Amino acid sequence: MAEKKKGLIRRFFGAIWAVYKGFRSTVLNIIFILFVILIGSAIFSGGDKVEVAKTSALYLNLRGDLVEEKRFVDPFAAIMNESLGGQEETPEVLVRDVVAVINHAAKDNRIQAMVMDLSGLGGASLDKMLAVGKAIENFKESGKKVFAYGAFFAQNQYFLASYADQISLEPMGAVILEGYGSYPMFYKSALEKLKVNTHVFRVGTYKSAVEPFTRDDMSPEAKEANIAWLNELWLQYKEQVAGRRGFALDNFDETFASLYAKVAAAEGDLSKYALDNKLVDSIQTREEFRRSLIAVVGKNDKNTYNHVTFGDYSKLVLPAKQFDNPMTEKVAVVVARGMIIDGTAKAGTIGGDSTAALLRRARHDDKVKAVVLRIDSGGGSAFASEVIGQEITLLREAGKPVIASMGAVAASGGYWIAAPANEIWAAPTTITGSIGIFGLMHTLEDAMKTLGLNVDGVGTTELAGVSAGLPLFKGLTDPMKDLMQLMIERGYTEFLTMVGKNRNMSIEAVDKVAQGRVWTGRMAQEFGLVDKLGTFDDAVARAAEMAGLSQYDVKVIQQELSPTEQLFVDMFGAAQAKGWVPSFGQSMQNRALRQLSQQVQQDFVLMNQFNDPNGIYSYCLSCQIH
């Protein structure tokens, strides 16, 4: 039977649809081709060349937190967030990048001075700022001047500013140094109002990591332990700054009465108060500061002093990618930053399996002769910590010495992964120790009753339903609690035994300085928990010495981006650098409310990351300072 012929109207609209589809396909293909050409041009073109005047200043305008390792951020999401007006909540700057840029500038004859703009500097521990400060001192030793200028210097910003030859403050500016404190948020009453029951199992008089969920205030034991290391940290801050600024320790105002008296003497003028108390060298307007720098390095076509920003100069001196020389022997560096969790994790969090894999790469790399494990962690999963510790032991058995280099924090699980190393190096300001174990579980049996909900059924044993989460809804029985406490006590004994074995100490000696107590690096060395005080560079040099290396390269072993992630970085990163990714404005948020929401979010994200298969943790919550 012959096929029925389509009607005229149907053929007419069919022809229109075919034309439309063809037109749409052509347009989309053209747009795609243009997009590929655009991005390809961004990737493969030489780009806008950074020009450095014959006499210029390095404008050290740091933006973000100083860190050992940048946390992983999805490259596509980051580019889209920025183009749509969003801002990275906590931008980060690698300490080693800052040090490398300053050291290169010290040898660059075009760079005659450095100007520190620290208004964008966020979080920074003393050990990281000391590393940057050492580079600044190296810069000054080359005969070049360093200037710091700003409207307001917060505590971290002022610590770095104190390295400058001259600190200048704006007429309505201020310098406020408030000291260190530890002020976690407490949730006990809030959880009770929600009828959430908290069950705690722990060992250690000073193990206070669970207190925010079991108390409404800091315990006397936690206050006693925390004030000891906070005072030590504050003393080191004062000694460093006072030594560079040339005034006595009592020049720091630690009471409102003292601060009021001095500000009153300056007639309420905070900039004059800073000048009178030798915190700054001069009070200058921005134009006055610009003119003073023009006299040093000359004037550019924008009517300001010749300078190159940190970001632009970084493009000149820092390689876009790390290239490995296959001929040289190596000291490998593995960074362990963040909370320790079971399994794999992206950079910025320590996954037991993923960090162990990095160490294993070092073990199987014949060119790697020694390893430095750089730790900046308050701990986490005890199981994951042990997985990492086992890999360190295997490195040593393979004849490759391992140096644990402690950064800002290497406490609880952070100390666990350090203990198996051949030697432990710490900064005097490192926060370490907190050797203790705890278990934490929340149950909802009372909330279930209030909501009129119930879970019921039968099982072949008393254990049935435990792995499915039945205790969350039914609560913990006394036998469950006894079993959990027994496991925690066993975990603490294993922690003490492991530390004692690796540190050549008796279990009793370890227990005496354990119990969850937190120490500074200097204190920890006195107790035998740390071998040497020194910088990261000192640790690298010691690793090379132990391996018998006189000539070597330092190789950072880190997680690699997937091919798709790397493609997005290459494509959109290059296009963004050229300004080809559009921006649609930025929104402002209330700073205080943002900090509050971030604190609550941080605490509960932290609890959500507690994924130890046995529910046993070694974590130091009080190691966070403000």
Side-chain angles (χ1 to χ4, degrees), residues 185-261:
M185 190 171 290
F186 292 83
Y187 301 98
K188 178 176 179 290
S189 293
L191 292 172
E192 288 176 349
K193 291 180 185 297
L194 296 171
K195 296 190 179 299
V196 175
N197 297 319
T198 302
H199 306 274
V200 173
F201 312 91
R202 67 177 181 178
V203 181
T205 304
Y206 299 96
K207 198 63 189 172
S208 57
V210 295
E211 284 191 357
F213 300 93
T214 61
R215 297 177 60 94
D216 286 321
D217 58 1
M218 189 176 287
S219 69
E221 294 83 5
K223 287 182 177 180
E224 174 194 347
N226 292 340
I227 197 61
W229 62 265
L230 285 168
N231 280 336
E232 172 72 14
L233 213 59
W234 180 230
L235 176 61
Q236 294 191 42
Y237 181 100
K238 292 191 295 184
E239 288 176 342
Q240 287 276 336
V241 170
R244 288 190 288 272
R245 294 297 301 165
F247 53 65
L249 292 184
D250 59 10
N251 193 51
F252 290 86
D253 299 306
E254 300 181 343
T255 65
F256 279 107
S258 172
L259 181 61
Y260 177 85

Side-chain angles (χ1 to χ4, degrees), residues 118-158:
L118 303 170
S119 58
L121 177 65
S125 60
L126 278 178
D127 71 292
K128 296 180 182 67
M129 292 191 292
L130 285 168
V132 174
K134 184 178 179 182
I136 295 173
E137 289 177 338
N138 176 58
F139 184 91
K140 291 165 65 175
E141 288 173 1
S142 67
K144 304 175 182 182
K145 294 291 185 180
V146 177
F147 303 87
Y149 181 79
F152 178 83
F153 289 98
Q155 193 159 286
N156 286 341
Q157 296 163 354
Y158 186 75

